[in-house]
Amino acid sequence: MHIFSIDGPIWRFFNLVYNLVLLHVLWVLYSLPIVTIGASTTALYYACMKMIRTNEGDVHKNFHRSFKQNLKQSTIIWLAMVVIVFLYITDLRYGLYLGNTMGRVMIISCSVFLIPLVLTTIYIFPVQAKFENKIRDNIKNALLMSLRHFPCSLLLCFILGTFILLTLSFVPFIMLMVCCGAGLIAYLTSNIFIYIFRKYLPDELEDDLERSGEHFS
């Protein structure tokens, strides 16, 4: 195989970069109304996981399809998350303000609640992109999966935390985030989610290999 051929590593690399930039741009554009961030994030993970699994390059088509299909449920989930996070921050600040026994109880309660809140937030939109269930079931499954696959959850937290710290402390990294931040984060974390979801969909790997023109052995 020639290194510069259409199936060569250089072409595949630039095609990947193009898709990541496109996914980032689509996520930003579809998130502009703010209330659609949930649906946009769900579509981002759907298109990214499909691209990784079956080498399907039409990310725009997949993104738009998922956005339309999940608009209602993902928007409800997103708005509920905003309310929950607002209440969480309010309770935490009030607990710090009190500075007494009741305040310490509120702070401890918030600290205990923080772990499931963060884990559910990380998992919920990939789960929504992958599984067609009621909102209640997807939220429950997101939390259960995050606890059951806790080492993977720690890796996801590490990836997201690294991106946040680099964005806040390393100025050149901001340009990378502006160009393809959402696409890059989704790509890195989608590989982990694909690994997790295949535990619940044992036939998916074989189907993906067949769709991508490979042979399962």
Side-chain angles (χ1 to χ4, degrees):
M1 180 185 298
H2 196 278
I3 190 173
F4 294 106
S5 68
I6 194 170
D7 294 323
I10 293 181
W11 173 265
R12 290 200 302 270
F13 172 77
F14 282 107
N15 186 58
L16 174 62
V17 171
Y18 168 78
N19 284 330
L20 296 185
V21 173
L22 178 58
L23 283 170
H24 173 76
V25 172
L26 290 172
W27 182 81
V28 171
L29 292 177
Y30 280 68
S31 297
L32 285 179
I34 305 300
V35 295
T36 58
I37 289 178
S40 181
T41 304
T42 300
L44 172 68
Y45 273 104
Y46 176 85
C48 196
M49 287 190 288
K50 196 169 184 63
M51 178 185 69
I52 295 171
R53 288 171 42 225
T54 61
N55 297 320
E56 188 169 337
D58 195 353
V59 295
H60 190 182
K61 177 182 176 181
N62 291 329
F63 189 102
H64 183 69
R65 181 194 301 127
S66 177
F67 183 87
K68 290 178 60 178
Q69 291 177 346
N70 293 284
L71 178 60
K72 181 179 179 180
Q73 284 196 342
S74 295
T75 300
I76 293 173
I77 292 172
W78 164 248
L79 294 178
M81 286 175 54
V82 171
V83 173
I84 292 172
V85 171
F86 174 78
L87 293 176
Y88 175 86
I89 294 175
T90 301
D91 287 348
L92 182 60
R93 293 182 63 182
Y94 188 64
L96 292 171
Y97 171 77
L98 289 177
N100 53 21
T101 302
M102 179 59 70
R104 287 192 290 272
V105 170
M106 293 179 66
I107 293 173
I108 293 173
S109 299
C110 288
S111 300
V112 172
F113 183 64
L114 178 63
I115 295 176
L117 176 62
V118 170
L119 293 179
T120 303
T121 300
I122 292 173
Y123 274 74
I124 183 57
F125 294 116
V127 169
Q128 178 68 27
K130 187 64 179 179
F131 301 97
E132 294 183 7
N133 290 315
K134 295 180 179 179
I135 293 176
R136 179 186 63 239
D137 293 332
N138 274 342
I139 293 176
K140 179 184 69 175
N141 291 336
L143 178 58
L144 292 177
M145 286 182 187
S146 68
L147 296 175
R148 183 176 182 182
H149 305 280
F150 196 68
C152 291
S153 300
L154 290 178
L155 179 58
L156 289 166
C157 290
F158 175 78
I159 292 173
L160 295 173
T162 299
F163 270 85
I164 293 172
L165 289 176
L166 288 176
T167 302
L168 295 176
S169 60
F170 188 51
V171 176
F173 194 78
I174 298 176
M175 296 305 300
L176 177 65
M177 294 297 292
V178 170
C179 294
C180 63
L184 181 58
I185 292 173
Y187 179 78
L188 294 175
T189 55
S190 287
N191 283 277
I192 301 173
F193 285 119
I194 289 172
Y195 168 79
I196 293 172
F197 295 157
R198 279 179 176 160
K199 302 293 184 180
Y200 307 91
L201 301 167
D203 297 329
E204 183 179 84
L205 177 58
E206 184 175 358
D207 293 339
D208 290 347
L209 291 175
E210 291 177 356
R211 292 182 183 182
S212 59
E214 300 180 45
H215 297 286
F216 181 79
S217 58

